[in-house]
Amino acid sequence: MDKIDIPKKYNLPNEVKFCKRCVISNQRPRITFDAEQICSACRYFDYKKTIDWKKREEELKTLLDKYRSNNENYDCVVPSSGGKDSAYVAHELKHKFGMNPLTVTWSPLKYTDIGWDNLVNFNDSGFDVIMGMPQGDIKRRLSKQALIEMGDPFQGFIYGQVLFPVTIALKFGIKLIFRGENAEAEYGGSSKSWNKKSLPMEEFKKIWFSNYSLDFWLKKGFTKKELRFFYPPAMEEFKDKKCDSYFYGYFRNWSNHSNFYYASKNTGFKPNNRRTEGTYTKYSSIDDKMDTFHHWFALIKFGHGRCTSNAAREVREGYITREEAIALVHKYDTEFPKLYFKEFLEFIDINEDEFWDIAEKMEKF
Ligand SMILES: [Zn+2]
């Protein structure tokens, strides 16, 4: 297999530098560092402290008043896995702001027991859930192809995760979607994204068609019929319909910690009874057995793993110091995800030698 030039492919700086405030390096795609060597995610956290959140809440109320349903119809879609973040968004929209959300779940590649329990608890706490569960064999082939091409078995999953809630919104005639935080701002993108509140349909279409071309996958041997859940017929329906996606994190002061406590109290969310491999946390992205491989491949491509992302975030939120974060990264960041390795190989349908061949092709260092 030909080795992929990761720095070139992702436009990474030659010299590796670490943020002086958190633990992230400049090898995270799209992150920027300023003259004081502070990363854009840390700067966004400074900026967040200056935001008038009361005013943002008023802005949210004005938006909701425009869409609120006064009959039995749903008035917004919340893409939801049953995890703490989406549970917080859906519950607050319903109980604090009197909305009638329809929650839409894109099923993980392979459910963990705790992930399934949390979804059921969320459902029990008073939410209608529509689940998209594409055919397993296609999901697996797509994951395999994405792993070989991009070093990320999750790429296929992401198509559905982004597009399926839009499809359902269009089918139900719902014009408003609430996603969680604006990841580009929270985890380190350009400062242009800091005040971004929504992804209007026009922009959504542009991103979708340019970055995630259907043709690419058709050339890899998939048929349109097989990909209907990933590139559903609703693509045609996009033409005249309007359905805007808003970031809930623009309106409300987003915190993973607070969302965890909120969801534990209100929607029966439970953390795992053990930490996730490759990090020290027990409550983030715990619903998919294959998830640790997405993070492990990021580690070998960019040199930072899941622990770095988690610890950087907690330094910014003020829960741990930079020194504590560095110790955690040394301890957990490069841990190989053994727990579901065999299941991963079976799921992707490769043997161990093929796995290491792919890893070698993607490895940056
Ligand atoms: Zn930083």
Side-chain angles (χ1 to χ4, degrees), residues 19-24 31 33 37-43 312 316:
C19 172
K20 286 187 172 167
R21 196 182 292 172
C22 69
V23 284
I24 205 78
I31 203 162
F33 279 46
Q37 213 170 306
I38 307 289
C39 77
S40 46
C42 283
R43 288 300 183 203
R316 290 174 206 135

Side-chain angles (χ1 to χ4, degrees), residues 78-137:
V78 177
S80 172
S81 58
K84 61 182 177 22
D85 297 326
S86 49
Y88 156 67
V89 175
H91 193 274
E92 213 180 59
L93 281 169
K94 180 175 173 178
H95 293 281
K96 186 177 168 79
F97 299 112
M99 298 295 281
N100 187 18
L102 172 63
T103 68
V104 179
T105 300
W106 180 245
S107 99
L109 296 179
K110 235 171 184 280
Y111 259 113
T112 58
D113 290 344
I114 187 77
W116 180 252
D117 287 351
N118 278 328
L119 181 66
V120 171
N121 289 349
F122 172 71
N123 174 238
D124 283 347
S125 74
F127 292 93
D128 291 335
V129 176
I130 287 192
M131 182 185 280
M133 200 172 196
Q135 295 168 48
D137 55 337

Side-chain angles (χ1 to χ4, degrees), residues 76-239:
C76 58
V77 157
V78 177
S80 172
S81 58
K84 61 182 177 22
D85 297 326
S86 49
Y88 156 67
V89 175
H91 193 274
E92 213 180 59
L93 281 169
K94 180 175 173 178
H95 293 281
K96 186 177 168 79
F97 299 112
M99 298 295 281
N100 187 18
L102 172 63
T103 68
V104 179
T105 300
W106 180 245
S107 99
L109 296 179
K110 235 171 184 280
Y111 259 113
T112 58
D113 290 344
I114 187 77
W116 180 252
D117 287 351
N118 278 328
L119 181 66
V120 171
N121 289 349
F122 172 71
N123 174 238
D124 283 347
S125 74
F127 292 93
D128 291 335
V129 176
I130 287 192
M131 182 185 280
M133 200 172 196
Q135 295 168 48
D137 55 337
I138 293 164
K139 200 160 63 173
R140 292 211 306 273
R141 269 173 53 210
L142 202 58
S143 302
K144 179 178 186 169
Q145 203 67 46
L147 178 70
I148 293 168
E149 297 289 335
M150 303 159 189
D152 184 1
F154 260 46
Q155 200 60 51
F157 172 84
I158 294 166
Y159 299 141
Q161 196 181 34
V162 176
L163 194 53
F164 186 64
V166 180
T167 308
I168 295 300
L170 292 172
K171 295 271 184 212
F172 277 81
I174 302 167
K175 295 187 166 47
L176 188 59
I177 297 180
F178 276 105
R179 300 188 186 272
E181 76 274 49
N182 176 1
E184 200 61 15
E186 296 269 343
Y187 307 112
S190 129
S191 59
K192 284 188 201 123
S193 62
W194 288 4
N195 274 317
K196 203 172 174 60
K197 72 176 95 168
S198 66
L199 201 57
M201 202 61 174
E202 282 311 309
E203 211 172 314
F204 181 82
K205 275 193 268 184
K206 220 163 72 188
I207 294 173
W208 194 261
F209 285 110
S210 58
N211 294 354
Y212 304 95
S213 150
L214 174 59
D215 285 347
F216 175 83
W217 296 101
L218 295 178
K219 278 182 199 147
K220 295 287 167 197
F222 291 90
T223 64
K224 274 190 175 173
K225 190 177 168 190
E226 288 174 331
L227 295 175
R228 60 177 296 149
F229 248 28
F230 300 90
Y231 292 94
M235 293 301 267
E236 290 303 311
E237 297 170 31
F238 277 0
K239 268 185 221 142

